[in-house]
Amino acid sequence: MAIVALALGSSPAAFAEEAKPVDPELLAKITKSNNECFACHTKAGLKAPPQDGLDLKKLEATLRDPDTFHASNHGNMECKQCHGQGYTKYPHAEGAAQQISPCSECHAVKVYKIEQQWDKSVHAQKLKGKMTCNSCHDPHVAKIASKLGDPKLIVAQDNAMCLDCHKSDLAFSKLAPDNRKRPDIDTLHSWLPNTKAHWQSVRCVECHTPQAKTLSHEVLAKDKAEKNCVSCHSSDSALRTRLYRHLVQAEENQYGFVNTAILKSSYVIGATRNQFVDWGIIGMVAATVGGLGLHGAIRVLMSILRRRNRK
Ligand code: HEC
Ligand code: HEC
Ligand code: HEC
Ligand code: HEC
Ligand code: HEC
Ligand code: HEC
Ligand code: HEC
């Protein structure tokens, strides 16, 4: 039982990699422990705090939603596993914030790989020390892509990470150097037709990380971003190894087959069979036949004219 191992203090890293059903007795213990925190850190807690003299303004900025937490990657964990003992009593201990565990404490292997990509990213280089894993990942909310399944949900979650800053002057200005103004995301990408539809069907990281990799934390400088429509709008769409990789894998296991996963979730012109493509092909055929006909007609006409001129 994975969680038992953690509760008993064995290496968290060893078990964070393997998902197993949780023992109901243990789950009850975790729920009870977390409810102590939820007694204050929820909307209900704010309305009726279990004790007097709390700084309610500060509390309001720290509310969590229990259902969202339970559905997240970390939903079967005790708050205390990441927050240490400094928060178990109120008022919380001085310096408790310094005790919050970094991702690497439990995901050493994954984080080692990710850090190498992250260190090369524009964010790590331009915003040294100001941006951390937590700037994008809310450990109380996030769900891993394979758990979300539906590409639209994955896109919504992953793009929200970027847009939290890139659509908010306040959040952007907290990090940006020398009062730099936030460039407007829609204007920047106005070369992309129906920009808003793309934001709902495709992730920022699809174009802003190296194409050769399935998923990377290396957000590239803007001049290296993907602008080529065909990288997605083609039969060997880059989306197969990225956004749709979970679906494509399931599909291959089931049918040993190709782009059905993409077809099911959206019409990526060129990557899926699509009426626009059909019309395009009909159009091209018509143009070719028409062109040949026209060419022939002109030749006949010219030879008649030539014959007349000879007379
Ligand atoms: C105190 C230990 C701990 C810390 C710190 C921690 N995690 Fe986790 N993480 C876990 C455990 C336990 C799971 C659940 C694994 C399971 O359900 O099998 C998990 C699951 C995940 C998953 C889903 C993995 C999967 O295969 O289902 C992701 C992604 C993740 N964590 C990312 C992060 C990130 C990003 C951070 C830092 C912001 C972080 N974690 C910090 C312990 C931790
Ligand atoms: C009796 C109410 C109460 C309980 C119980 C409580 N907290 Fe708090 N907590 C607060 C209040 C109020 C604040 C706002 C800052 C302050 O007054 O210290 C806070 C602040 C925090 C912060 C820091 C926010 C920040 O950015 O400084 C964290 C983290 C936190 N609590 C985690 C927990 C965890 C984890 C538990 C359960 C183990 C818990 N709290 C239990 C009332 C409570
Ligand atoms: C996987 C690790 C992890 C778990 C589990 C976890 N937290 Fe946190 N929590 C963090 C990290 C990391 C931060 C700091 C985020 C930051 O620096 O922006 C944080 C911040 C907070 C804060 C203060 C700031 C804020 O953003 O609201 C509160 C309150 C809090 N957690 C409450 C809880 C409660 C209640 C639980 C249990 C239901 C819990 N946490 C479970 C990692 C965790
Ligand atoms: C600029 C935003 C950003 C930052 C900063 C960031 N990440 Fe991520 N991270 C993402 C996105 C986007 C994904 C893709 C989630 C998906 O769909 O799989 C992701 C995925 C992950 C995953 C899940 C990978 C999997 O197994 O599928 C882990 C673990 C993770 N990040 C850890 C980290 C760690 C550790 C750091 C700090 C070194 C970090 N991240 C910093 C955006 C970010
Ligand atoms: C279809 C590919 C594609 C997608 C999807 C995409 N981008 Fe871009 N992005 C680009 C390209 C290409 C450029 C460079 C544009 C240019 O130089 O004209 C760019 C430029 C940028 C810049 C540079 C700003 C500056 O300083 O000039 C930012 C920031 C940015 N994108 C953020 C995002 C965010 C956030 C998302 C997700 C909502 C996103 N992008 C989605 C291709 C894309
Ligand atoms: C916590 C805030 C924050 C988050 C989250 C964030 N960014 Fe940024 N990003 C910035 C700031 C600030 C800059 C400006 C840095 C500079 O120019 O010095 C920037 C710059 C950029 C640039 C321009 C690089 C260049 O060449 O000038 C791109 C592209 C970009 N971000 C893409 C993304 C993508 C994609 C995501 C999500 C995976 C994301 N950002 C998430 C704050 C953020
Ligand atoms: C990173 C992948 C990617 C790139 C690059 C990309 N697209 Fe798309 N595009 C998509 C996806 C996914 C959709 C599906 C939208 C949906 O769900 O209906 C789409 C939809 C479209 C649509 C239909 C929009 C609508 O109204 O529904 C058009 C037109 C289009 N793309 C044109 C382009 C052009 C032109 C370019 C290059 C300038 C381009 N795309 C680059 C992924 C991409």
Side-chain angles (χ1 to χ4, degrees):
M1 193 50 48
I3 295 268
V4 178
L6 188 63
L8 296 178
S10 85
S11 158
F15 105 86
E17 309 297 332
E18 49 173 283
K20 280 188 192 140
V22 184
D23 165 23
E25 217 172 285
L26 180 64
L27 203 57
K29 208 177 130 243
I30 294 168
T31 307
K32 185 165 169 280
S33 162
N34 288 356
N35 281 345
E36 288 169 18
C37 311
F38 288 140
C40 289
H41 287 283
T42 52
K43 275 189 194 145
L46 181 68
K47 259 196 212 146
Q51 65 186 71
D52 293 332
L54 304 182
D55 185 337
L56 295 181
K57 254 237 161 91
K58 273 197 185 154
L59 181 62
E60 196 176 1
T62 66
L63 303 186
R64 310 251 73 108
D65 176 42
D67 291 338
T68 308
F69 179 75
H70 289 312
S72 78
N73 290 329
H74 297 124
N76 289 337
M77 287 175 69
E78 277 189 271
C79 312
K80 281 186 265 190
Q81 282 177 241
C82 289
H83 286 287
Q85 298 298 322
Y87 286 111
T88 45
K89 293 223 171 65
Y90 190 85
H92 297 320
E94 291 263 335
Q98 272 71 55
Q99 284 180 17
I100 302 180
S101 309
C103 315
S104 55
E105 194 176 298
C106 308
H107 301 288
V109 179
K110 256 189 198 170
V111 172
Y112 176 74
K113 266 196 237 150
I114 288 172
E115 266 173 353
Q116 288 172 326
Q117 302 164 348
W118 163 248
D119 287 343
K120 284 190 273 175
S121 74
V122 282
H123 292 117
Q125 298 198 336
K126 290 191 163 187
L127 306 167
K128 261 203 177 77
K130 289 199 240 172
M131 205 159 150
T132 66
C133 312
N134 296 329
S135 307
C136 288
H137 290 284
D138 185 337
H140 316 93
V141 172
K143 275 195 216 171
I144 193 167
S146 54
K147 219 176 189 179
L148 283 167
D150 180 352
K152 297 262 174 198
L153 296 178
I154 299 173
V155 169
Q157 171 174 285
D158 289 359
N159 285 0
M161 290 181 194
C162 312
L163 293 174
D164 275 351
C165 275
H166 284 282
K167 277 240 165 185
S168 157
D169 288 328
L170 181 68
F172 190 83
S173 68
K174 280 189 188 157
L175 296 180
D178 16 279
N179 300 327
R180 169 102 70 94
K181 252 196 89 168
R182 179 184 65 86
D184 179 66
I185 287 295
D186 292 337
T187 317
L188 272 175
H189 299 84
S190 56
W191 46 270
L192 194 60
N194 206 338
T195 321
K196 294 221 163 67
H198 277 96
W199 292 171
Q200 277 155 25
S201 319
V202 84
R203 294 178 303 179
C204 316
V205 288
E206 241 73 69
C207 296
H208 283 285
T209 60
Q211 286 293 318
K213 297 187 182 145
T214 53
L215 173 81
S216 174
H217 276 72
E218 186 186 349
V219 172
L220 300 160
K222 60 187 167 205
D223 54 308
K224 293 207 197 96
E226 183 61 70
K227 213 172 188 174
N228 184 1
C229 318
V230 176
S231 76
C232 293
H233 293 279
S234 67
S235 57
D236 61 344
S237 177
L239 293 174
R240 297 190 66 237
T241 57
R242 301 176 139 238
L243 177 56
Y244 295 100
R245 70 184 191 282
H246 310 292
L247 292 180
V248 169
Q249 208 161 37
E251 207 87 43
E252 272 170 0
N253 294 344
Q254 210 177 341
Y255 306 113
F257 184 50
V258 284
N259 280 359
T260 346
I262 302 186
L263 179 66
K264 267 196 204 147
S265 51
S266 68
Y267 282 111
V268 188
I269 299 170
T272 56
R273 214 183 132 76
N274 176 293
Q275 55 183 352
F276 293 110
V277 178
D278 291 351
W279 289 341
I281 290 169
I282 290 167
M284 277 192 307
V285 171
T288 312
V289 171
L292 281 174
L294 191 68
H295 180 82
I298 291 172
R299 284 188 67 161
V300 171
L301 198 71
M302 291 305 281
S303 73
I304 292 171
L305 283 176
R306 250 180 266 133
R307 235 176 283 150
R308 270 206 200 148
N309 288 347
R310 251 182 257 142
K311 278 181 191 165

